[in-house]
Amino acid sequence: MLVYEYLPREFIRLGVVSKAAGLDHREMAAQVRLAQERAGSARLAPREPHTLSELLIAELRRHQWERIAHLMKKEGMAEYVPALDVRGARYERQRLQRLVTDVTEAKRSGACVVEIARHRVYRIDARPAASSAAHVPVLTLHLMKASPDGAAEKAWAVHGRDGGLYQRGGYRITSVEQALLEPGELF
């Protein structure tokens, strides 16, 4: 049985905390503005077919940046120090508890083998084939898989079948990029 070491929300928290470490108030304010702008842009983009979406990612990042900026102001921190972030430490304890609970539940359900997966979140873009109408929009979705190839295969398996999103508009997958965590972080 498959258990995820990190869920998308946990990736986002970890990514923001690692980027925020050592930032001063001016740098933090710039990151907050950037996160707010990205969330605003994501609200205007076409809606994705899955819950895990660019909008969800942008909103969760915005929330974390705003939370850390508020903490710095409240605690009078000259720069952000993750070790002084009580809520950040609590989030990590909750992640570890969720992981233990998921493994215990998997074993209790009779799973012979419990695999703790280090999946990442990939952004998959699909565009209409050249012969399709120009007015057909680009389809974007976000999926958790261990590799870019796995993400593309899953996207095609779910949406490439007869009547699926890709088939109706003559789409083909054009790019698969790691969205969470950023390349090189943590793994």
Side-chain angles (χ1 to χ4, degrees):
M1 179 172 223
L2 187 65
V3 172
Y4 297 115
E5 185 173 9
Y6 291 91
L7 297 176
R9 287 178 188 273
E10 296 161 346
F11 277 140
I12 291 164
R13 288 180 191 138
L14 182 64
V16 170
V17 166
S18 67
K19 286 180 182 176
L23 297 184
D24 62 24
H25 288 280
R26 183 185 50 77
E27 295 166 320
M28 184 61 65
Q31 289 296 325
V32 168
R33 277 191 306 279
L34 182 61
Q36 291 169 339
E37 289 169 7
R38 286 182 179 161
S41 295
R43 281 187 214 100
L44 300 175
R47 189 175 168 144
E48 293 181 43
H50 300 283
T51 305
L52 181 56
S53 67
E54 192 71 36
L55 178 58
L56 176 69
I57 292 168
E59 286 292 341
L60 290 172
R61 280 184 175 147
R62 178 194 58 79
H63 178 267
Q64 284 302 307
W65 283 111
E66 289 174 348
R67 179 190 72 77
I68 292 170
H70 177 74
L71 172 71
M72 287 177 64
K73 184 176 180 181
K74 179 180 158 193
E75 298 295 324
M77 293 180 183
E79 63 181 39
Y80 176 64
V81 180
L84 300 177
D85 186 349
V86 175
R87 188 181 292 178
R90 185 174 70 231
Y91 286 151
E92 181 59 14
R93 284 192 306 275
Q94 289 171 343
R95 182 193 71 81
L96 292 171
Q97 183 58 46
R98 179 207 43 89
L99 186 59
V100 168
T101 302
D102 288 353
V103 168
T104 303
E105 286 299 314
K107 288 180 179 177
R108 199 175 292 147
S109 70
C112 296
V113 177
V114 177
E115 177 190 350
I116 298 177
R118 283 191 160 181
H119 280 30
R120 294 163 177 86
V121 174
Y122 291 94
R123 178 184 182 178
I124 299 108
D125 284 334
R127 298 185 186 279
S131 62
S132 295
H135 69 280
V136 180
V138 172
L139 286 177
T140 299
L141 32 119
H142 289 76
L143 298 172
M144 282 185 67
K145 286 307 269 183
S147 69
D149 290 340
E153 288 171 15
K154 182 176 179 181
W156 193 257
V158 171
H159 299 292
R161 65 186 183 282
D162 288 341
L165 288 173
Y166 293 162
Q167 293 298 317
R168 285 185 288 202
Y171 284 87
R172 61 184 176 79
I173 294 174
T174 56
S175 69
V176 180
E177 296 176 356
Q178 187 176 335
L180 297 173
L181 285 168
E182 286 74 18
E185 286 188 9
L186 186 65
F187 302 120

